[in-house]
């Protein structure tokens, strides 16, 4: 009830912005975090202030709610596409298009996908919306995040005639709660003028951008093996599109292309980031642009693995996304965390911070990517005043390092309860976080 305090205690509490706490607790009041610390200290603090509380205990791990930084929830009904393996982006796109053109209830599918995310401990999401029927789903299910209206296939003439006004009208139809933004689909699916205009449209409204970048090998920087200059000053030539740029013989990467158009920035995050050079990754860092890595989706499509070890070594801002069931085996974000761990090891990353950094990417990193790591509705970490979005996982807790390693290396399917705004939104049959103490102080 409003005004009540609930103490969620656990064998291990992982705040993300403070050291992990064995036998920790989080006190919650009116959907906000009131205290975080060792259980004994939290309880004593409440009792010293004569604050009545109800305690719920879980012997495993308590994390901030996970944040899925790239998903297409409306494609939840297209799992048959994601169940196969493909020989590359074009092969997958052909199969996707066949299934997409069949009748779908996009809204119902998106709601089902959102509920799946909650079941896996996800409380916030960057949801890419292609059909307006699915635009209000985050609002409907009470999740945090941003619904990004996806824009593609606009050429300059049509854009100038009607596209700009149409996109603005579509954007205004998306509920402002929890958030709305634009997703220019990819550098190769839009002409230069729409890509120039869309950042201005959202920035004038204080909203955010999100695009697919470096997902296709077509976007990778190309080097002239005969020694020619493939990096001339194309931006002075009035090039109509990235595809036109390629046809003219320029080897500029898609990342450099969108950077020249002013797309990147701290109010923008990108998805995939597979086909990127060190120079491309440095551009993302320079612009304050985070990248959502979706390794299981890349594997299904038949792409190269993301250069996660390089992102980590270079200090890039990373997050984690599942993409959709049209290209991924599940919406369990921890499955992608485990995949990133394996890829990083294969790529030679041996630093001892790997577990903690990947866990941070799935929580605080995702919140940062969508601009929700600060402010009154901040998520992704457990701190006083932050939103009380919590995720509980079934892992053995004896040593901190061992428990976090188990979460990262084998956390898929381990979610047992999800709390949003201090309210339990899902719990597994194994959930034992029942009332263990109730204190009523006069």
């Amino acid at each position: 009830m409003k005004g009540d305090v609930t103490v969620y205690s656990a064998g291990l509490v992982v705040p993300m912005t403070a050291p992990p706490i064995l036998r920790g607790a989080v006190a919650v009041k009116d959907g906000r975090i009131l205290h975080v610390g060792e259980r004994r200290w939290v309880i004593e603090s409440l009792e010293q202030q004569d604050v009545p509380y109800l305690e719920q205990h879980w012997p495993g791990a308590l994390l901030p709610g996970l944040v899925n930084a790239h998903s297409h929830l409306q494609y939840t009904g297209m799992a048959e596409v994601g169940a196969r393996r493909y020989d590359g982006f074009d092969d997958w796109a052909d199969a996707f298009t066949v299934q997409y053109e069949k009748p779908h209830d996009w809204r119902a599918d998106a709601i089902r996908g959102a509920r799946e995310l909650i079941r896996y401990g996800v409380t916030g999401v960057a949801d890419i919306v292609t059909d307006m029927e699915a635009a209000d789903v985050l609002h409907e299910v009470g999740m945090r995040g941003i619904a990004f209206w996806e824009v593609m296939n606009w050429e300059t003439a049509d854009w100038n005639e009607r596209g700009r006004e149409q996109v603005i009208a579509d954007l205004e139809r998306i509920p402002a709660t929890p958030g709305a933004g634009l997703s220019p689909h990819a550098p190769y699916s839009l002409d230069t003028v729409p890509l120039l205009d869309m950042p201005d449209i959202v920035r004038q409204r204080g909203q955010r951008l999100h695009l697919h970048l470096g997902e296709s090998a077509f976007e990778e920087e190309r080097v002239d093996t005969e020694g020619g200059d493939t990096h001339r000053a194309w931006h002075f030539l009035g090039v109509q599109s990235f595809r036109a740029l390629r046809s003219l013989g320029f080897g500029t990467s898609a990342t450099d292309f969108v950077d020249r158009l002013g797309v990147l920035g701290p109010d923008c995050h990108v998805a995939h980031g597979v086909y990127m050079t060190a120079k491309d990754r440095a551009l993302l860092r320079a612009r304050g642009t985070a990248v959502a890595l979706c390794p299981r989706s890349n594997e299904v499509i038949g792409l190269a693995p993301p250069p996660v070890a390089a992102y980590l070594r270079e200090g890039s801002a990373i997050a984690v996304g599942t993409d959709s069931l049209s290209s991924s085996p599940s919406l369990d974000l921890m499955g992608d965390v485990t995949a990133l761990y394996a890829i990083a090891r294969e790529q030679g990353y041996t630093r001892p911070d790997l577990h903690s950094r990947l866990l941070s990417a799935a929580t605080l990193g995702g919140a940062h990517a969508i601009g929700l790591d600060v402010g009154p509705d901040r998520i992704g970490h457990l701190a006083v005043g932050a939103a009380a979005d919590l995720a509980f996982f079934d892992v053995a807790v004896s040593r901190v390092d061992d428990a976090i390693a188990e979460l990262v290396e084998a956390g898929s399917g381990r979610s047992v309860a999800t709390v949003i705004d201090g309210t339990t939104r899902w719990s597994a049959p194994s959930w034992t976080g029942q009332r263990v103490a109730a204190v009523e102080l006069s």
Side-chain angles (χ1 to χ4, degrees), residues 211-289:
L211 71 157
H212 300 77
L213 189 63
E215 183 182 15
S216 167
F218 178 70
E219 302 172 62
E220 195 168 25
E221 181 181 43
R222 298 187 178 181
V223 178
D224 186 345
T225 57
E226 297 181 358
D229 180 9
T230 63
H231 301 284
R232 301 185 301 278
W234 61 266
H235 48 288
F236 295 117
L237 302 179
V239 176
Q240 182 176 348
S241 68
F242 182 70
R243 289 188 179 277
L245 188 74
R246 280 281 186 261
S247 69
L248 292 171
F250 289 87
T252 304
S253 72
T255 303
D256 186 42
F257 177 74
V258 297
D259 182 59
R260 294 281 185 177
L261 300 179
V263 176
L264 303 180
D267 56 357
C268 170
H269 81 288
V270 303
H272 298 291
V274 174
Y275 299 98
M276 289 192 173
T277 63
K279 182 171 69 176
D280 291 332
R281 298 190 298 271
L283 271 177
L284 297 184
R285 291 194 300 278
R287 306 299 179 240
T289 300

Side-chain angles (χ1 to χ4, degrees), residues 2-287:
K2 185 175 178 61
D4 289 350
V5 173
T6 300
V7 174
Y8 295 96
S9 59
L12 177 67
V13 173
V14 188
M16 304 315 309
T17 50
I21 307 163
L22 281 172
R23 295 175 294 281
V26 177
V28 172
K29 180 179 180 180
D30 295 336
R32 299 282 174 178
I33 295 176
L34 188 62
H35 293 299
V36 181
E38 292 183 351
R39 176 186 175 276
R40 178 179 296 179
W41 175 82
V42 170
I43 295 295
E44 288 178 353
S45 295
L46 294 171
E47 291 179 345
Q48 288 172 3
Q49 299 171 63
D50 290 340
V51 175
Y53 65 88
L54 169 73
E55 181 181 2
Q56 291 186 295
H57 178 73
W58 173 248
L62 191 171
L63 274 63
L66 307 183
V67 181
N68 188 333
H70 181 73
S71 189
H72 301 256
L73 294 179
Q74 73 172 75
Y75 301 151
T76 300
M78 297 175 63
E80 67 180 74
V81 181
R84 294 166 51 193
R85 293 295 182 272
Y86 301 89
D87 293 328
F89 193 84
D90 291 341
D91 185 30
W92 170 82
D94 289 342
F96 173 89
T97 301
V98 169
Q99 184 65 24
Y100 177 83
E101 291 178 349
K102 295 179 180 179
H104 293 274
D105 186 337
W106 296 123
R107 189 170 190 273
D109 287 347
I111 288 174
R112 183 159 55 89
R115 289 172 176 164
E116 280 285 290
L117 291 186
I118 293 172
R119 183 168 73 86
Y120 291 124
V122 173
T123 61
V125 59
D127 183 30
I128 316 306
V129 181
T130 308
D131 292 88
M132 191 57 71
E133 303 96 296
D136 70 338
V137 164
L138 298 187
H139 178 79
E140 173 70 19
V141 301
M143 290 188 75
R144 301 189 194 279
I146 298 175
F148 289 95
W149 178 241
E150 189 167 45
V151 184
M152 65 180 77
N153 300 329
W154 283 102
E155 296 181 349
T156 298
D158 287 341
W159 174 262
N160 288 335
E161 181 181 347
R162 59 189 175 87
R164 185 183 294 104
E165 289 73 18
Q166 181 176 320
V167 166
I168 290 171
D170 289 338
L171 181 60
E172 290 177 347
R173 293 171 62 190
I174 298 175
T177 303
L182 279 185
S183 178
H185 170 254
Y188 55 80
S189 63
L190 289 156
D191 272 6
T192 301
V193 171
L195 281 170
L196 276 168
D197 280 353
M198 276 186 273
D200 291 347
I201 290 172
V202 294
R203 285 166 181 156
Q204 287 169 356
R205 292 161 172 75
Q207 296 172 326
R208 297 186 68 84
L209 283 166
H210 180 43
L211 71 157
H212 300 77
L213 189 63
E215 183 182 15
S216 167
F218 178 70
E219 302 172 62
E220 195 168 25
E221 181 181 43
R222 298 187 178 181
V223 178
D224 186 345
T225 57
E226 297 181 358
D229 180 9
T230 63
H231 301 284
R232 301 185 301 278
W234 61 266
H235 48 288
F236 295 117
L237 302 179
V239 176
Q240 182 176 348
S241 68
F242 182 70
R243 289 188 179 277
L245 188 74
R246 280 281 186 261
S247 69
L248 292 171
F250 289 87
T252 304
S253 72
T255 303
D256 186 42
F257 177 74
V258 297
D259 182 59
R260 294 281 185 177
L261 300 179
V263 176
L264 303 180
D267 56 357
C268 170
H269 81 288
V270 303
H272 298 291
V274 174
Y275 299 98
M276 289 192 173
T277 63
K279 182 171 69 176
D280 291 332
R281 298 190 298 271
L283 271 177
L284 297 184
R285 291 194 300 278
R287 306 299 179 240

